[in-house]
mmCIF file of all heavy atoms in Angstrom:
data_model
loop_
_atom_site.group_PDB
_atom_site.id
_atom_site.type_symbol
_atom_site.label_atom_id
_atom_site.label_comp_id
_atom_site.label_asym_id
_atom_site.label_seq_id
_atom_site.Cartn_x
_atom_site.Cartn_y
_atom_site.Cartn_z
ATOM 1 N N PRO A 1470 78.087 76.058 2.847
ATOM 2 C CA PRO A 1470 77.329 75.345 3.879
ATOM 3 C C PRO A 1470 78.212 74.626 4.908
ATOM 4 O O PRO A 1470 77.935 74.649 6.106
ATOM 5 C CB PRO A 1470 76.506 74.322 3.097
ATOM 6 C CG PRO A 1470 76.357 74.842 1.712
ATOM 7 C CD PRO A 1470 77.698 75.561 1.513
ATOM 8 N N ILE A 1471 79.327 73.979 4.506
ATOM 9 C CA ILE A 1471 80.174 73.346 5.470
ATOM 10 C C ILE A 1471 80.860 74.275 6.306
ATOM 11 O O ILE A 1471 81.014 74.047 7.541
ATOM 12 C CB ILE A 1471 81.208 72.422 4.677
ATOM 13 C CG1 ILE A 1471 80.545 71.080 4.191
ATOM 14 C CG2 ILE A 1471 82.332 72.031 5.570
ATOM 15 C CD1 ILE A 1471 79.950 70.278 5.387
ATOM 16 N N LEU A 1474 78.398 75.317 8.835
ATOM 17 C CA LEU A 1474 78.306 74.216 9.858
ATOM 18 C C LEU A 1474 79.314 74.120 10.771
ATOM 19 O O LEU A 1474 79.123 74.012 12.015
ATOM 20 C CB LEU A 1474 78.081 72.889 8.997
ATOM 21 C CG LEU A 1474 77.927 71.605 9.882
ATOM 22 C CD1 LEU A 1474 76.605 71.634 10.693
ATOM 23 C CD2 LEU A 1474 77.991 70.416 9.053
ATOM 24 N N PHE A 1511 78.999 70.570 0.752
ATOM 25 C CA PHE A 1511 77.702 71.065 1.055
ATOM 26 C C PHE A 1511 77.054 70.218 2.118
ATOM 27 O O PHE A 1511 76.065 70.642 2.735
ATOM 28 C CB PHE A 1511 76.768 71.293 -0.188
ATOM 29 C CG PHE A 1511 76.686 70.035 -0.968
ATOM 30 C CD1 PHE A 1511 75.783 69.113 -0.623
ATOM 31 C CD2 PHE A 1511 77.384 69.837 -2.141
ATOM 32 C CE1 PHE A 1511 75.764 67.972 -1.324
ATOM 33 C CE2 PHE A 1511 77.411 68.669 -2.876
ATOM 34 C CZ PHE A 1511 76.437 67.672 -2.537
ATOM 35 N N LYS A 1512 77.573 69.159 2.514
ATOM 36 C CA LYS A 1512 77.126 68.269 3.536
ATOM 37 C C LYS A 1512 78.204 67.414 3.943
ATOM 38 O O LYS A 1512 79.121 67.090 3.272
ATOM 39 C CB LYS A 1512 75.858 67.534 3.157
ATOM 40 C CG LYS A 1512 75.943 66.181 2.460
ATOM 41 C CD LYS A 1512 74.659 65.485 2.123
ATOM 42 C CE LYS A 1512 74.088 64.802 3.340
ATOM 43 N NZ LYS A 1512 72.720 64.233 3.048
ATOM 44 N N LEU A 1513 78.109 67.016 5.207
ATOM 45 C CA LEU A 1513 79.151 66.203 5.972
ATOM 46 C C LEU A 1513 78.435 65.091 6.666
ATOM 47 O O LEU A 1513 77.626 65.323 7.553
ATOM 48 C CB LEU A 1513 79.916 67.088 6.891
ATOM 49 C CG LEU A 1513 80.991 66.362 7.718
ATOM 50 C CD1 LEU A 1513 82.310 66.287 6.908
ATOM 51 C CD2 LEU A 1513 81.344 67.171 8.956
ATOM 52 N N ALA A 1514 78.679 63.864 6.204
ATOM 53 C CA ALA A 1514 77.931 62.729 6.802
ATOM 54 C C ALA A 1514 78.669 61.462 6.977
ATOM 55 O O ALA A 1514 79.531 61.174 6.164
ATOM 56 C CB ALA A 1514 76.575 62.473 5.871
ATOM 57 N N ILE A 1685 70.009 73.409 12.734
ATOM 58 C CA ILE A 1685 70.326 73.178 11.467
ATOM 59 C C ILE A 1685 69.443 72.170 10.810
ATOM 60 O O ILE A 1685 68.864 71.372 11.489
ATOM 61 C CB ILE A 1685 71.834 72.682 11.253
ATOM 62 C CG1 ILE A 1685 71.995 71.496 12.082
ATOM 63 C CG2 ILE A 1685 72.855 73.828 11.719
ATOM 64 C CD1 ILE A 1685 73.281 70.668 11.707
ATOM 65 N N ASP A 1686 69.446 72.043 9.453
ATOM 66 C CA ASP A 1686 68.729 71.006 8.711
ATOM 67 C C ASP A 1686 69.472 69.768 8.948
ATOM 68 O O ASP A 1686 70.639 69.744 8.566
ATOM 69 C CB ASP A 1686 68.633 71.428 7.246
ATOM 70 C CG ASP A 1686 68.012 70.440 6.379
ATOM 71 O OD1 ASP A 1686 67.616 69.313 6.905
ATOM 72 O OD2 ASP A 1686 67.791 70.670 5.154
ATOM 73 N N PRO A 1687 68.863 68.666 9.524
ATOM 74 C CA PRO A 1687 69.569 67.454 9.777
ATOM 75 C C PRO A 1687 70.195 66.803 8.513
ATOM 76 O O PRO A 1687 71.115 66.018 8.529
ATOM 77 C CB PRO A 1687 68.527 66.501 10.435
ATOM 78 C CG PRO A 1687 67.373 67.161 10.628
ATOM 79 C CD PRO A 1687 67.448 68.603 10.028
ATOM 80 N N TRP A 1688 69.566 67.181 7.336
ATOM 81 C CA TRP A 1688 70.063 66.592 6.080
ATOM 82 C C TRP A 1688 71.476 66.962 5.822
ATOM 83 O O TRP A 1688 72.286 66.191 5.219
ATOM 84 C CB TRP A 1688 69.269 67.117 4.972
ATOM 85 C CG TRP A 1688 69.690 66.658 3.573
ATOM 86 C CD1 TRP A 1688 69.571 65.372 3.081
ATOM 87 C CD2 TRP A 1688 70.469 67.350 2.685
ATOM 88 N NE1 TRP A 1688 70.163 65.284 1.848
ATOM 89 C CE2 TRP A 1688 70.703 66.365 1.535
ATOM 90 C CE3 TRP A 1688 70.974 68.678 2.592
ATOM 91 C CZ2 TRP A 1688 71.425 66.841 0.446
ATOM 92 C CZ3 TRP A 1688 71.641 68.989 1.413
ATOM 93 C CH2 TRP A 1688 71.921 68.097 0.300
ATOM 94 N N LEU A 1689 72.000 68.090 6.404
ATOM 95 C CA LEU A 1689 73.356 68.484 6.236
ATOM 96 C C LEU A 1689 74.398 67.458 6.859
ATOM 97 O O LEU A 1689 75.497 67.491 6.586
ATOM 98 C CB LEU A 1689 73.567 69.870 6.827
ATOM 99 C CG LEU A 1689 72.875 70.926 6.120
ATOM 100 C CD1 LEU A 1689 73.028 72.266 6.935
ATOM 101 C CD2 LEU A 1689 73.344 71.209 4.709
ATOM 102 N N ILE A 1690 73.943 66.589 7.728
ATOM 103 C CA ILE A 1690 74.733 65.709 8.444
ATOM 104 C C ILE A 1690 74.228 64.225 8.288
ATOM 105 O O ILE A 1690 74.767 63.275 8.933
ATOM 106 C CB ILE A 1690 75.041 66.035 9.991
ATOM 107 C CG1 ILE A 1690 73.672 66.103 10.661
ATOM 108 C CG2 ILE A 1690 75.776 67.257 10.113
ATOM 109 C CD1 ILE A 1690 73.808 66.210 12.273
ATOM 110 N N ASN A 1691 73.138 64.054 7.508
ATOM 111 C CA ASN A 1691 72.525 62.811 7.474
ATOM 112 C C ASN A 1691 72.304 62.157 6.072
ATOM 113 O O ASN A 1691 71.693 62.944 5.202
ATOM 114 C CB ASN A 1691 71.109 62.813 8.276
ATOM 115 C CG ASN A 1691 70.357 61.605 8.261
ATOM 116 O OD1 ASN A 1691 70.969 60.519 8.282
ATOM 117 N ND2 ASN A 1691 69.106 61.688 8.021
ATOM 118 N N TYR A 1729 69.028 73.635 -2.052
ATOM 119 C CA TYR A 1729 70.337 74.261 -1.635
ATOM 120 C C TYR A 1729 71.099 74.785 -2.803
ATOM 121 O O TYR A 1729 72.211 75.169 -2.679
ATOM 122 C CB TYR A 1729 71.202 73.238 -0.841
ATOM 123 C CG TYR A 1729 70.693 73.098 0.630
ATOM 124 C CD1 TYR A 1729 69.757 72.095 0.882
ATOM 125 C CD2 TYR A 1729 71.181 73.987 1.597
ATOM 126 C CE1 TYR A 1729 69.409 71.997 2.270
ATOM 127 C CE2 TYR A 1729 70.706 73.888 2.938
ATOM 128 C CZ TYR A 1729 69.805 72.860 3.234
ATOM 129 O OH TYR A 1729 69.441 72.765 4.547
#
Side-chain angles (χ1 to χ4, degrees):
I1471 282 296
L1474 178 65
F1511 53 83
K1512 82 180 282 176
L1513 178 77
I1685 60 163
D1686 178 354
W1688 178 75
L1689 294 172
I1690 55 169
N1691 178 36
Y1729 282 92

